[in-house]
Amino acid sequence: MSPSPRFRRLLGLATAAVLLAGCASTIGGQAVKVGAAQGTTTAPPTETPGPTGPKAGVAPADVKVVNDGNTQSDTLAKNTIEDLYTYYGQIFEKDFSKAFTPAKQLISYDSKVKNSPKVCNRSLYQEVNASYNPCADTIVWDRGVLLPDLTKEVGILAAPTVLSHEMGHLVQARLGVETNDVLLLEQQADCYAGGYWRWVADGNSKYYDLNKTAGVRQVLSAMMSTGDPVGTTTSTEGAHGSGFDRSYAFTLGFSNGAVRCSKITTAEVQARITETGFTVLPKNFGNIDISDKFLGQIATVANSYFGQTVKGYKPPTLTPFEGTSGPACNGAPTLYPVGYCQATNTITYNLKELQRIGTPTAGFKSINGDFSAVLLLVSRYGLAAQATTGGTPLGTQAGLRGLCYAGSWASWMRKTQGPDKLRLSPNDLNKAVYEVVNSPLPASDAAGSASSAVIDQVQALYVGVVFGATQCFDFYSS
């Protein structure tokens, strides 16, 4: 079970000379409550889907940029940076008791051009990147390759998401903190990006709209696409975190605001980071063909885990079906392609659709794969764990708890070789969060109802992975 994010070009997101130290607050074994706002964020984001993307009819930002190419990517960059200046200008005095000051310089360049500008005496030729450079207090971006490729491969909000991350590094400099812990810096900057996009989602941006469904999915996809390559470990020089880790840090800022980001510490990051390397490089980088036999093995492992973990758990029957509608349960079809029926304690699945979901779409560089399908199946076992122990598999909380339980099972599989000698590969959690970001089904209840907040769904998965099944129950109690 395992490939890597589509591309990982942002090799120097934090130019290692700055930033954070001496902030308080660690996780201390407890999950951070979703939506437990700090600082300037105080209410849940709007429930209405609404528009998402650049606002129509708004004049481009008048921001001075060295070597401005006046391309679409440059316009996105300038609009985003002016927006970020407004955001931090509003919150800095209140949240950090100091005034915010913009970068001294902004530079646009084309990494394909030999005579591109330099920053800190470093040539930007062939540097497919965007970065904050503390040596010159300068933000730079590649308008020739990186930003247009991000726009093409992820969406129009991908380039603004990357730049909101870079502005996070400038914020760290403004707060006057210093550390050589690159992973900590990246987690904080990802978190700061989340805080900005929450401000956008709340309707404050001059240049962008962001809804909580398609919009949040796109910015989270941008975070995931810039995660470390598969096999990177936390001890690898310059490690930034896996797509799974980066997307979670983003949700912390989105749910809790910039103050929470400033309080992320090395101890917290080391306690919850999931990035691991290969012990032995598996065949096909860990992707296993989805078959009835393989799904039966997953069922055996899931039943073993929940039998050990949830008192009174009764293993459901696993049954395949064909067609686009699941078997009837109390007069209504179970979900497609995987469903749970409490009346018969049965989990049903459509093999062909799970094969489609679980087949990598881009080979080794794909961020989906076998575990995308596995997560869907095991989240139904998470519903069974509730239904067979006196609870209900219905309702938003049940859906989130089922996904959280699936995350706790995944964490167990990282550390334990379960029945049939199955164990998670290093990027299976990337595949899991990919499926959560791209489909509401993993967080849905037995009737197909799901929380519409993608942020809540990503955090439910993460709470299970990092904090375990007990926290799933406590976190999502009705």
PDB file of all heavy atoms in Angstrom, residues 90-113:
ATOM      1  N   GLN A  90      -4.508  43.355   9.589  1.00  0.00           N
ATOM      2  CA  GLN A  90      -5.677  43.380  10.473  1.00  0.00           C
ATOM      3  C   GLN A  90      -5.458  42.605  11.773  1.00  0.00           C
ATOM      4  O   GLN A  90      -5.928  43.021  12.829  1.00  0.00           O
ATOM      5  CB  GLN A  90      -6.889  42.795   9.738  1.00  0.00           C
ATOM      6  CG  GLN A  90      -7.422  43.653   8.614  1.00  0.00           C
ATOM      7  CD  GLN A  90      -8.574  42.981   7.875  1.00  0.00           C
ATOM      8  OE1 GLN A  90      -9.040  41.904   8.237  1.00  0.00           O
ATOM      9  NE2 GLN A  90      -9.038  43.634   6.803  1.00  0.00           N
ATOM     10  N   ILE A  91      -4.739  41.486  11.700  1.00  0.00           N
ATOM     11  CA  ILE A  91      -4.684  40.621  12.886  1.00  0.00           C
ATOM     12  C   ILE A  91      -3.427  40.795  13.733  1.00  0.00           C
ATOM     13  O   ILE A  91      -3.430  40.414  14.906  1.00  0.00           O
ATOM     14  CB  ILE A  91      -4.811  39.138  12.498  1.00  0.00           C
ATOM     15  CG1 ILE A  91      -3.547  38.634  11.793  1.00  0.00           C
ATOM     16  CG2 ILE A  91      -6.055  38.887  11.673  1.00  0.00           C
ATOM     17  CD1 ILE A  91      -3.471  37.111  11.710  1.00  0.00           C
ATOM     18  N   PHE A  92      -2.358  41.368  13.181  1.00  0.00           N
ATOM     19  CA  PHE A  92      -1.084  41.339  13.889  1.00  0.00           C
ATOM     20  C   PHE A  92      -1.120  42.090  15.212  1.00  0.00           C
ATOM     21  O   PHE A  92      -0.650  41.586  16.228  1.00  0.00           O
ATOM     22  CB  PHE A  92       0.039  41.885  12.992  1.00  0.00           C
ATOM     23  CG  PHE A  92       1.141  40.895  12.768  1.00  0.00           C
ATOM     24  CD1 PHE A  92       0.874  39.688  12.132  1.00  0.00           C
ATOM     25  CD2 PHE A  92       2.436  41.140  13.174  1.00  0.00           C
ATOM     26  CE1 PHE A  92       1.877  38.761  11.920  1.00  0.00           C
ATOM     27  CE2 PHE A  92       3.447  40.220  12.976  1.00  0.00           C
ATOM     28  CZ  PHE A  92       3.165  39.021  12.350  1.00  0.00           C
ATOM     29  N   GLU A  93      -1.656  43.307  15.192  1.00  0.00           N
ATOM     30  CA  GLU A  93      -1.645  44.101  16.412  1.00  0.00           C
ATOM     31  C   GLU A  93      -2.492  43.441  17.488  1.00  0.00           C
ATOM     32  O   GLU A  93      -2.118  43.373  18.657  1.00  0.00           O
ATOM     33  CB  GLU A  93      -2.144  45.519  16.126  1.00  0.00           C
ATOM     34  CG  GLU A  93      -1.867  46.441  17.275  1.00  0.00           C
ATOM     35  CD  GLU A  93      -1.307  47.788  16.828  1.00  0.00           C
ATOM     36  OE1 GLU A  93      -0.967  47.993  15.657  1.00  0.00           O
ATOM     37  OE2 GLU A  93      -1.236  48.630  17.713  1.00  0.00           O
ATOM     38  N   LYS A  94      -3.639  42.908  17.070  1.00  0.00           N
ATOM     39  CA  LYS A  94      -4.537  42.281  18.033  1.00  0.00           C
ATOM     40  C   LYS A  94      -3.971  40.972  18.563  1.00  0.00           C
ATOM     41  O   LYS A  94      -3.993  40.711  19.776  1.00  0.00           O
ATOM     42  CB  LYS A  94      -5.898  42.023  17.384  1.00  0.00           C
ATOM     43  CG  LYS A  94      -6.884  41.309  18.285  1.00  0.00           C
ATOM     44  CD  LYS A  94      -8.191  41.013  17.574  1.00  0.00           C
ATOM     45  CE  LYS A  94      -9.130  40.220  18.470  1.00  0.00           C
ATOM     46  NZ  LYS A  94     -10.372  39.835  17.782  1.00  0.00           N
ATOM     47  N   ASP A  95      -3.463  40.130  17.670  1.00  0.00           N
ATOM     48  CA  ASP A  95      -3.048  38.781  18.057  1.00  0.00           C
ATOM     49  C   ASP A  95      -1.602  38.699  18.549  1.00  0.00           C
ATOM     50  O   ASP A  95      -1.269  37.817  19.340  1.00  0.00           O
ATOM     51  CB  ASP A  95      -3.231  37.817  16.884  1.00  0.00           C
ATOM     52  CG  ASP A  95      -4.699  37.540  16.586  1.00  0.00           C
ATOM     53  OD1 ASP A  95      -5.549  37.964  17.395  1.00  0.00           O
ATOM     54  OD2 ASP A  95      -4.999  36.905  15.556  1.00  0.00           O
ATOM     55  N   PHE A  96      -0.744  39.604  18.055  1.00  0.00           N
ATOM     56  CA  PHE A  96       0.676  39.506  18.386  1.00  0.00           C
ATOM     57  C   PHE A  96       1.249  40.789  18.988  1.00  0.00           C
ATOM     58  O   PHE A  96       2.463  40.892  19.199  1.00  0.00           O
ATOM     59  CB  PHE A  96       1.476  39.114  17.138  1.00  0.00           C
ATOM     60  CG  PHE A  96       1.046  37.791  16.550  1.00  0.00           C
ATOM     61  CD1 PHE A  96       0.407  37.740  15.320  1.00  0.00           C
ATOM     62  CD2 PHE A  96       1.256  36.616  17.248  1.00  0.00           C
ATOM     63  CE1 PHE A  96      -0.001  36.525  14.783  1.00  0.00           C
ATOM     64  CE2 PHE A  96       0.857  35.396  16.711  1.00  0.00           C
ATOM     65  CZ  PHE A  96       0.225  35.345  15.482  1.00  0.00           C
ATOM     66  N   SER A  97       0.395  41.773  19.193  1.00  0.00           N
ATOM     67  CA  SER A  97       0.790  43.021  19.863  1.00  0.00           C
ATOM     68  C   SER A  97       1.921  43.746  19.155  1.00  0.00           C
ATOM     69  O   SER A  97       2.806  44.330  19.790  1.00  0.00           O
ATOM     70  CB  SER A  97       1.187  42.749  21.325  1.00  0.00           C
ATOM     71  OG  SER A  97       0.121  42.167  22.017  1.00  0.00           O
ATOM     72  N   LYS A  98       1.924  43.721  17.846  1.00  0.00           N
ATOM     73  CA  LYS A  98       2.902  44.476  17.078  1.00  0.00           C
ATOM     74  C   LYS A  98       2.334  44.749  15.694  1.00  0.00           C
ATOM     75  O   LYS A  98       1.402  44.086  15.244  1.00  0.00           O
ATOM     76  CB  LYS A  98       4.224  43.734  16.968  1.00  0.00           C
ATOM     77  CG  LYS A  98       4.151  42.359  16.339  1.00  0.00           C
ATOM     78  CD  LYS A  98       5.538  41.779  16.061  1.00  0.00           C
ATOM     79  CE  LYS A  98       6.333  41.608  17.315  1.00  0.00           C
ATOM     80  NZ  LYS A  98       7.693  41.070  17.074  1.00  0.00           N
ATOM     81  N   ALA A  99       2.909  45.730  15.014  1.00  0.00           N
ATOM     82  CA  ALA A  99       2.469  46.075  13.662  1.00  0.00           C
ATOM     83  C   ALA A  99       3.109  45.115  12.660  1.00  0.00           C
ATOM     84  O   ALA A  99       4.231  44.644  12.860  1.00  0.00           O
ATOM     85  CB  ALA A  99       2.842  47.512  13.328  1.00  0.00           C
ATOM     86  N   PHE A 100       2.393  44.834  11.603  1.00  0.00           N
ATOM     87  CA  PHE A 100       2.920  43.974  10.539  1.00  0.00           C
ATOM     88  C   PHE A 100       3.594  44.827   9.475  1.00  0.00           C
ATOM     89  O   PHE A 100       3.065  45.872   9.079  1.00  0.00           O
ATOM     90  CB  PHE A 100       1.791  43.174   9.905  1.00  0.00           C
ATOM     91  CG  PHE A 100       2.229  42.358   8.727  1.00  0.00           C
ATOM     92  CD1 PHE A 100       2.918  41.166   8.907  1.00  0.00           C
ATOM     93  CD2 PHE A 100       1.964  42.790   7.427  1.00  0.00           C
ATOM     94  CE1 PHE A 100       3.333  40.412   7.817  1.00  0.00           C
ATOM     95  CE2 PHE A 100       2.364  42.033   6.334  1.00  0.00           C
ATOM     96  CZ  PHE A 100       3.059  40.848   6.530  1.00  0.00           C
ATOM     97  N   THR A 101       4.763  44.406   9.011  1.00  0.00           N
ATOM     98  CA  THR A 101       5.442  45.124   7.929  1.00  0.00           C
ATOM     99  C   THR A 101       5.612  44.207   6.728  1.00  0.00           C
ATOM    100  O   THR A 101       5.987  43.040   6.878  1.00  0.00           O
ATOM    101  CB  THR A 101       6.833  45.618   8.378  1.00  0.00           C
ATOM    102  OG1 THR A 101       7.591  44.509   8.878  1.00  0.00           O
ATOM    103  CG2 THR A 101       6.704  46.668   9.460  1.00  0.00           C
ATOM    104  N   PRO A 102       5.340  44.696   5.526  1.00  0.00           N
ATOM    105  CA  PRO A 102       5.465  43.881   4.314  1.00  0.00           C
ATOM    106  C   PRO A 102       6.905  43.497   4.022  1.00  0.00           C
ATOM    107  O   PRO A 102       7.851  43.995   4.635  1.00  0.00           O
ATOM    108  CB  PRO A 102       4.916  44.810   3.214  1.00  0.00           C
ATOM    109  CG  PRO A 102       4.086  45.822   3.926  1.00  0.00           C
ATOM    110  CD  PRO A 102       4.758  46.019   5.252  1.00  0.00           C
ATOM    111  N   ALA A 103       7.070  42.602   3.050  1.00  0.00           N
ATOM    112  CA  ALA A 103       8.410  42.222   2.593  1.00  0.00           C
ATOM    113  C   ALA A 103       9.100  43.430   1.968  1.00  0.00           C
ATOM    114  O   ALA A 103       8.452  44.315   1.394  1.00  0.00           O
ATOM    115  CB  ALA A 103       8.305  41.095   1.569  1.00  0.00           C
ATOM    116  N   LYS A 104      10.419  43.467   2.040  1.00  0.00           N
ATOM    117  CA  LYS A 104      11.168  44.566   1.435  1.00  0.00           C
ATOM    118  C   LYS A 104      11.099  44.509  -0.088  1.00  0.00           C
ATOM    119  O   LYS A 104      11.160  45.543  -0.765  1.00  0.00           O
ATOM    120  CB  LYS A 104      12.627  44.534   1.889  1.00  0.00           C
ATOM    121  CG  LYS A 104      12.832  44.936   3.329  1.00  0.00           C
ATOM    122  CD  LYS A 104      14.308  44.939   3.705  1.00  0.00           C
ATOM    123  CE  LYS A 104      14.502  45.355   5.150  1.00  0.00           C
ATOM    124  NZ  LYS A 104      15.935  45.313   5.552  1.00  0.00           N
ATOM    125  N   GLN A 105      10.987  43.299  -0.630  1.00  0.00           N
ATOM    126  CA  GLN A 105      11.002  43.169  -2.088  1.00  0.00           C
ATOM    127  C   GLN A 105      10.255  41.910  -2.516  1.00  0.00           C
ATOM    128  O   GLN A 105      10.212  40.913  -1.802  1.00  0.00           O
ATOM    129  CB  GLN A 105      12.458  43.103  -2.586  1.00  0.00           C
ATOM    130  CG  GLN A 105      12.618  43.261  -4.080  1.00  0.00           C
ATOM    131  CD  GLN A 105      14.092  43.330  -4.472  1.00  0.00           C
ATOM    132  OE1 GLN A 105      14.855  42.410  -4.207  1.00  0.00           O
ATOM    133  NE2 GLN A 105      14.492  44.433  -5.087  1.00  0.00           N
ATOM    134  N   LEU A 106       9.648  42.006  -3.703  1.00  0.00           N
ATOM    135  CA  LEU A 106       9.006  40.867  -4.349  1.00  0.00           C
ATOM    136  C   LEU A 106       9.665  40.680  -5.707  1.00  0.00           C
ATOM    137  O   LEU A 106       9.901  41.660  -6.423  1.00  0.00           O
ATOM    138  CB  LEU A 106       7.508  41.112  -4.530  1.00  0.00           C
ATOM    139  CG  LEU A 106       6.714  41.502  -3.274  1.00  0.00           C
ATOM    140  CD1 LEU A 106       5.303  41.936  -3.657  1.00  0.00           C
ATOM    141  CD2 LEU A 106       6.670  40.338  -2.283  1.00  0.00           C
ATOM    142  N   ILE A 107       9.964  39.436  -6.073  1.00  0.00           N
ATOM    143  CA  ILE A 107      10.620  39.170  -7.353  1.00  0.00           C
ATOM    144  C   ILE A 107       9.874  38.082  -8.098  1.00  0.00           C
ATOM    145  O   ILE A 107       9.625  36.997  -7.561  1.00  0.00           O
ATOM    146  CB  ILE A 107      12.090  38.728  -7.163  1.00  0.00           C
ATOM    147  CG1 ILE A 107      12.901  39.813  -6.473  1.00  0.00           C
ATOM    148  CG2 ILE A 107      12.726  38.367  -8.499  1.00  0.00           C
ATOM    149  CD1 ILE A 107      14.346  39.394  -6.171  1.00  0.00           C
ATOM    150  N   SER A 108       9.538  38.374  -9.343  1.00  0.00           N
ATOM    151  CA  SER A 108       8.995  37.365 -10.255  1.00  0.00           C
ATOM    152  C   SER A 108      10.105  36.958 -11.215  1.00  0.00           C
ATOM    153  O   SER A 108      10.916  37.783 -11.631  1.00  0.00           O
ATOM    154  CB  SER A 108       7.813  37.945 -11.037  1.00  0.00           C
ATOM    155  OG  SER A 108       7.434  37.077 -12.086  1.00  0.00           O
ATOM    156  N   TYR A 109      10.150  35.681 -11.567  1.00  0.00           N
ATOM    157  CA  TYR A 109      11.163  35.230 -12.517  1.00  0.00           C
ATOM    158  C   TYR A 109      10.657  34.021 -13.300  1.00  0.00           C
ATOM    159  O   TYR A 109       9.668  33.374 -12.904  1.00  0.00           O
ATOM    160  CB  TYR A 109      12.473  34.879 -11.791  1.00  0.00           C
ATOM    161  CG  TYR A 109      12.388  33.663 -10.899  1.00  0.00           C
ATOM    162  CD1 TYR A 109      12.841  32.419 -11.343  1.00  0.00           C
ATOM    163  CD2 TYR A 109      11.859  33.742  -9.613  1.00  0.00           C
ATOM    164  CE1 TYR A 109      12.762  31.288 -10.522  1.00  0.00           C
ATOM    165  CE2 TYR A 109      11.784  32.633  -8.802  1.00  0.00           C
ATOM    166  CZ  TYR A 109      12.232  31.400  -9.257  1.00  0.00           C
ATOM    167  OH  TYR A 109      12.139  30.296  -8.453  1.00  0.00           O
ATOM    168  N   ASP A 110      11.333  33.737 -14.380  1.00  0.00           N
ATOM    169  CA  ASP A 110      11.054  32.558 -15.197  1.00  0.00           C
ATOM    170  C   ASP A 110      12.246  31.620 -15.066  1.00  0.00           C
ATOM    171  O   ASP A 110      13.359  31.953 -15.507  1.00  0.00           O
ATOM    172  CB  ASP A 110      10.838  32.962 -16.658  1.00  0.00           C
ATOM    173  CG  ASP A 110      10.420  31.802 -17.541  1.00  0.00           C
ATOM    174  OD1 ASP A 110      10.695  30.642 -17.182  1.00  0.00           O
ATOM    175  OD2 ASP A 110       9.825  32.059 -18.610  1.00  0.00           O
ATOM    176  N   SER A 111      12.050  30.477 -14.438  1.00  0.00           N
ATOM    177  CA  SER A 111      13.166  29.569 -14.159  1.00  0.00           C
ATOM    178  C   SER A 111      13.797  29.003 -15.423  1.00  0.00           C
ATOM    179  O   SER A 111      14.887  28.420 -15.358  1.00  0.00           O
ATOM    180  CB  SER A 111      12.695  28.417 -13.265  1.00  0.00           C
ATOM    181  OG  SER A 111      11.684  27.656 -13.918  1.00  0.00           O
ATOM    182  N   LYS A 112      13.168  29.193 -16.568  1.00  0.00           N
ATOM    183  CA  LYS A 112      13.736  28.713 -17.834  1.00  0.00           C
ATOM    184  C   LYS A 112      14.722  29.710 -18.441  1.00  0.00           C
ATOM    185  O   LYS A 112      15.444  29.390 -19.381  1.00  0.00           O
ATOM    186  CB  LYS A 112      12.617  28.437 -18.851  1.00  0.00           C
ATOM    187  CG  LYS A 112      11.555  27.447 -18.373  1.00  0.00           C
ATOM    188  CD  LYS A 112      10.572  27.080 -19.464  1.00  0.00           C
ATOM    189  CE  LYS A 112       9.827  28.279 -20.046  1.00  0.00           C
ATOM    190  NZ  LYS A 112       8.973  28.958 -19.065  1.00  0.00           N
ATOM    191  N   VAL A 113      14.759  30.927 -17.911  1.00  0.00           N
ATOM    192  CA  VAL A 113      15.582  32.005 -18.472  1.00  0.00           C
ATOM    193  C   VAL A 113      16.896  32.121 -17.700  1.00  0.00           C
ATOM    194  O   VAL A 113      16.904  32.259 -16.472  1.00  0.00           O
ATOM    195  CB  VAL A 113      14.821  33.343 -18.429  1.00  0.00           C
ATOM    196  CG1 VAL A 113      15.696  34.484 -18.924  1.00  0.00           C
ATOM    197  CG2 VAL A 113      13.543  33.245 -19.259  1.00  0.00           C
TER     198      VAL A 113
END
